[in-house]
């Protein structure tokens, strides 16, 4: 298995890249207790995008882990989760954004956000912020209580914990290290991303 | 309060219409136990759309009812739920689609779907199927179990049950009477839609 690329995503930043069908995308939490956001679009046709609603429906669960498939708005498999040392990820929330920090953290000035970081890093691929769908929240520890209320606890990821996804089609991918202290046990930390596979696929 | 429009949405069909800020949209289940899908876009700028991820985040719950606000991808309030005789609606699933019927009902031939009906009825407003976000599933009775698995039960709506939403901005709205028997206690039935308010707002 050839290493094709590795990105160190600094705290409160993001990265955008291309992923080919059959390549493996490993998202690593180097320090532990850090979540992040993943969004994806078709390389061939950018109007195809990773859909929370299709993925929740077809997997029949809101918690996603090994063996689950992440689907596009057109019901096409985009990723399969092939390995997962953390075991809990969700698909409930849109990326944290300046408006979210104003609303939930009462921050009126500038604050970095997954929304900004995904938009900035996907812009070179022609994806604008308005097109960002509800994101796959990896390592996020959100639990739905019987009332329907959502409780966010520190991520279950330990240092070096990872989730590995196989690309099922050619993709444009955006990943951010989450900028919201409340989702990351108080401190925003980096995320590592590794792409492995064959160059020729 | 003036009645501006009333639509009888036949079983397994949909409707698209404009709604002005401050108008009231009442979605009625005339026979009971029938769910449906709602999607919305900005009239002024169609790249603004009703977002499950923002709405779940800002309300802090997956079950939405009176007093909750439904937000756009830009964190703008699109609707407030002002009255609700049913009490349970969710924002977890994408609209049922031909691919969903193939996958979950093993139907290979044509089957009507919310995806087709929303797309067809929003096309005159310039909204294509690829842009349909995860829909607000009114009267749908989806429960998240402690494992994260989702259980769909017959809708709680009785004949004449309704949910009333106030438009918080000028909107393009699509509504469908759900085409999936499994979400509607075995039989797909109609939905009624009423718009009231001032013509001049």
């Amino acid at each position: 298995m050839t290493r094709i690329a590795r990105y160190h995503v600094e705290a409160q930043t993001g990265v955008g890249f291309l992923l080919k069908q059959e390549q493996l995308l490993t998202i690593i939490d180097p320090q532990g207790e850090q979540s992040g956001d993943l969004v994806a679009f078709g390389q061939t046709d950018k109007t195809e995008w990773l859909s929370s609603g299709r993925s929740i429906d077809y997997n029949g669960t809101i918690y996603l882990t090994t063996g689950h498939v992440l689907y596009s708005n057109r019901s096409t498999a985009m990723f399969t989760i092939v390995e997962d040392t953390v075991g809990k990820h969700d698909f409930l929330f849109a990326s944290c954004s300046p408006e979210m920090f104003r609303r939930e953290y009462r921050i009126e000035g500038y604050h970095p956000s997954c929304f900004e970081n995904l938009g900035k890093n996907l812009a070179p691929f022609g994806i604008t912020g308005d097109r960002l769908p509800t994101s796959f929240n990896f390592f996020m520890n959100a639990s739905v209580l019987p009332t329907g209320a959502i409780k966010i606890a520190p991520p279950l990821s330990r240092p070096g914990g990872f989730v590995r996804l196989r690309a099922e089609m050619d993709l444009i991918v955006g990943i951010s290290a989450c900028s919201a202290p409340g989702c990351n046990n108080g401190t925003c930390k980096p995320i590592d991303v590794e792409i492995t596979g064959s160059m020729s696929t």
Side-chain angles (χ1 to χ4, degrees), chain A:
Chain A
M1 191 66 71
T2 312
R3 180 193 285 183
I4 293 161
R6 189 174 173 109
Y7 304 100
H8 179 70
V9 185
E10 293 289 358
Q12 302 185 316
T13 71
V15 64
F17 52 88
L18 299 178
L19 197 63
K20 279 195 170 296
Q21 189 177 10
E22 295 187 14
Q23 287 180 343
L24 296 176
L25 168 66
T26 306
I27 305 170
I28 305 149
D29 182 353
Q31 300 181 21
E33 299 193 324
Q34 175 63 36
S35 66
D37 280 10
L38 166 78
V39 294
F41 298 82
Q43 259 187 52
T44 313
D45 183 347
K46 295 172 196 172
T47 60
E48 185 158 17
W49 43 273
L50 182 60
S51 166
S52 60
R54 296 258 168 252
S55 300
I56 289 174
D57 188 359
Y58 297 159
N59 291 291
T61 176
I62 59 161
Y63 304 136
L64 299 159
T65 185
T66 307
H68 288 132
V69 176
L70 309 186
Y71 292 90
S72 79
N73 60 319
R74 297 185 191 164
S75 301
T76 311
M78 283 192 147
F79 295 102
T80 301
I81 303 179
V82 293
E83 207 174 341
D84 181 11
T85 71
V86 178
K88 196 170 178 191
H89 317 275
D90 76 72
F91 228 143
L92 296 174
F93 298 102
S95 300
C96 63
S97 66
E99 295 78 9
M100 192 284 286
F101 284 104
R102 267 196 287 282
R103 178 182 297 271
E104 298 187 9
Y105 288 75
R106 308 285 168 207
I107 293 171
E108 290 301 326
Y110 174 78
H111 193 284
S113 67
C114 287
F115 182 81
E116 180 194 7
N117 288 323
L118 292 171
K120 197 161 63 180
N121 285 283
L122 289 172
F125 302 100
I127 308 290
T128 59
D130 273 330
R131 297 203 40 226
L132 294 180
T134 295
S135 43
F136 179 66
N137 307 121
F138 56 82
F139 308 148
M140 179 121 161
N141 188 2
S143 296
V144 173
L145 307 181
T147 58
I150 299 173
K151 186 184 153 197
I152 296 178
L156 300 173
S157 47
R158 301 282 74 88
F162 68 88
V163 61
R164 183 167 289 143
L165 303 99
R166 185 178 62 231
E168 302 297 355
M169 57 186 281
D170 291 351
L171 295 167
I172 301 165
V173 179
I175 285 180
S176 58
C178 177
S179 293
C183 298
N184 303 295
N185 204 14
T187 318
C188 293
K189 301 170 286 298
I191 286 290
D192 285 330
V193 173
E194 188 170 80
I195 302 171
T196 52
S198 163
M199 294 293 281
S200 59
T201 50

